[in-house]
Amino acid sequence: MLSLSSMNRIDRLAAILIQLQSRPLVKAQDIADRFSISLRTVYRDVKALEEAGVPVIGEAGTGYRLMEGYKLPPVMFNMDEATALLTASKLVQSKTDAGISKHFTSALDKIRAILRHSEKDHIEEIDDHIAVVTHPSIVYQPQSELHLQSILKAIGSSSVIEMEYTTLEKNETTKRKVEPVGIYYLGSHWYLIAWCQLRKDYRNFRTDKIKRLTITNETNSKAHPPLQSFMDKMSEEKELHKIVIDVEPTIVKYLGEQKYYNGFVKEEKIDDHVRITF
């Protein structure tokens, strides 16, 4: 009988193999970070996979990849993994557009197809018991087209996008070409960060304000920094001002989650009112 530590290592080796199958190249540090193990342990695990007949190719200073053409039979999902995907599907359906939702549902159907009967019954049972409800103080209308699929496709191929965009400030529609960097979700909207060829600078675009979008045959004019660097810069550049308001206790609940989008710091009871600091 295998000990618990041995079982843990077997599970980890299987997970590392799946990770190698799902990416063209995997860094040793990425494996170490994911499983909270040392680099030395990573090297031992990879060697164990090689000794088991898995054709792992190690590229010095770069990472690991599997030999071209090597595939394992389809992986079986356990009940917890299937439940997690079902939960994620609820978020996808409520926070993305029809295109992304359709593809996610199709992928989930394929996953359901390989589940055992007991797990399929479990998924069917809990499907109607998970819901995503928008807070009443946040105005949100689901969009049929947010262009997310097309934008991600363009990012993957380093292609220039041509679009008609309506500005929020002046409500003017202009045609422009942009080089997409990434998308992010904030508050109740999806945003695109891209290099605008018209403005010769990086700009933020709300995807629901894109009227028409076409992926061109042009490729990006240069390499762009990763999305996270823009997110960090956005946080640093904000000019902050301290605002303190006093409100009646019965009013506080109506602020909902919107207060967090406006720099909420704290709230405290002062005599017969509540003091809120932003």
Side-chain angles (χ1 to χ4, degrees):
M1 180 176 290
L2 294 171
S3 66
L4 180 60
S5 59
S6 297
M7 286 294 294
N8 285 340
R9 191 185 185 212
I10 290 173
D11 290 342
R12 187 174 70 242
L13 289 175
I16 291 174
L17 182 52
I18 291 172
Q19 190 175 9
L20 289 170
Q21 284 193 110
S22 64
R23 293 170 176 79
L25 194 70
V26 180
K27 296 179 180 178
Q29 189 61 57
D30 291 340
I31 297 174
D33 292 343
R34 179 174 178 181
F35 300 103
S36 300
I37 56 178
S38 66
L39 285 174
R40 187 176 178 181
T41 302
V42 172
Y43 302 146
R44 286 202 301 263
D45 285 352
V46 171
K47 185 176 181 180
L49 288 174
E50 291 174 334
E51 291 173 348
V54 178
V56 180
I57 299 175
E59 301 187 0
T62 306
Y64 300 106
R65 62 183 176 87
L66 293 179
M67 182 181 293
E68 184 69 27
Y70 177 79
K71 295 290 182 184
L72 282 180
V75 176
M76 291 296 292
F77 288 85
N78 61 39
M79 192 175 295
D80 290 339
E81 291 168 337
T83 300
L85 287 167
L86 176 63
T87 305
S89 74
K90 301 294 183 177
L91 287 168
V92 170
Q93 291 166 8
S94 65
K95 301 299 183 184
T96 60
D97 57 18
I100 293 286
S101 180
K102 176 184 176 182
H103 290 302
F104 195 96
T105 300
S106 176
L108 190 59
D109 285 343
K110 292 178 181 178
I111 292 170
R112 290 188 184 196
I114 63 172
L115 294 177
R116 290 184 289 267
H117 287 298
S118 60
E119 292 162 350
K120 289 179 182 178
D121 292 342
H122 172 73
I123 294 299
E124 288 295 324
E125 175 64 29
I126 66 172
D127 195 355
D128 293 333
H129 297 272
I130 306 172
V132 177
V133 181
T134 303
H135 195 282
S137 63
I138 300 176
V139 178
Y140 177 72
Q141 289 293 331
Q143 301 291 323
S144 59
E145 179 60 82
L146 294 173
H147 309 283
L148 303 180
Q149 195 81 9
S150 297
I151 292 171
L152 292 173
K153 184 178 180 180
I155 292 173
S157 59
S158 299
S159 299
V160 173
I161 287 174
E162 184 177 71
M163 64 183 186
E164 292 179 5
Y165 183 76
T166 303
T167 60
L168 290 169
E169 297 81 7
K170 299 180 180 179
N171 198 33
E172 294 177 348
T173 300
T174 60
K175 181 182 292 186
R176 59 183 80 190
K177 289 184 176 181
V178 300
E179 301 175 15
V181 174
I183 58 175
Y184 66 94
Y185 186 81
L186 176 65
S188 56
H189 298 287
W190 281 96
Y191 294 85
L192 161 67
I193 290 181
W195 169 265
C196 180
Q197 294 184 352
L198 177 65
R199 305 301 182 191
K200 303 299 180 185
D201 198 2
Y202 292 100
R203 289 288 189 269
N204 249 325
F205 303 95
R206 244 177 62 179
T207 64
D208 61 312
K209 295 298 180 180
I210 299 175
K211 301 302 180 186
R212 185 184 63 82
L213 185 148
T214 304
I215 300 175
T216 71
N217 293 325
E218 298 178 42
T219 56
N220 291 350
S221 61
K222 60 180 180 178
H224 300 291
L227 176 63
Q228 190 58 49
S229 66
F230 289 97
M231 306 303 292
D232 295 339
K233 187 177 179 181
M234 285 168 57
S235 299
E236 293 172 0
E237 290 182 347
K238 285 183 178 177
E239 184 179 356
L240 301 180
H241 301 277
K242 183 178 180 180
I243 304 294
V244 180
I245 61 174
D246 290 340
V247 299
E248 296 180 6
T250 55
I251 300 298
V252 175
K253 62 182 180 182
Y254 294 108
L255 296 177
E257 293 183 356
Q258 283 196 15
K259 62 185 179 185
Y260 296 106
Y261 306 144
N262 293 282
F264 172 79
V265 176
K266 64 177 181 179
E267 64 182 44
E268 51 192 332
K269 186 77 166 61
I270 305 292
D271 297 328
D272 59 347
H273 61 271
V274 177
R275 179 162 294 170
I276 305 178
T277 303
F278 296 87

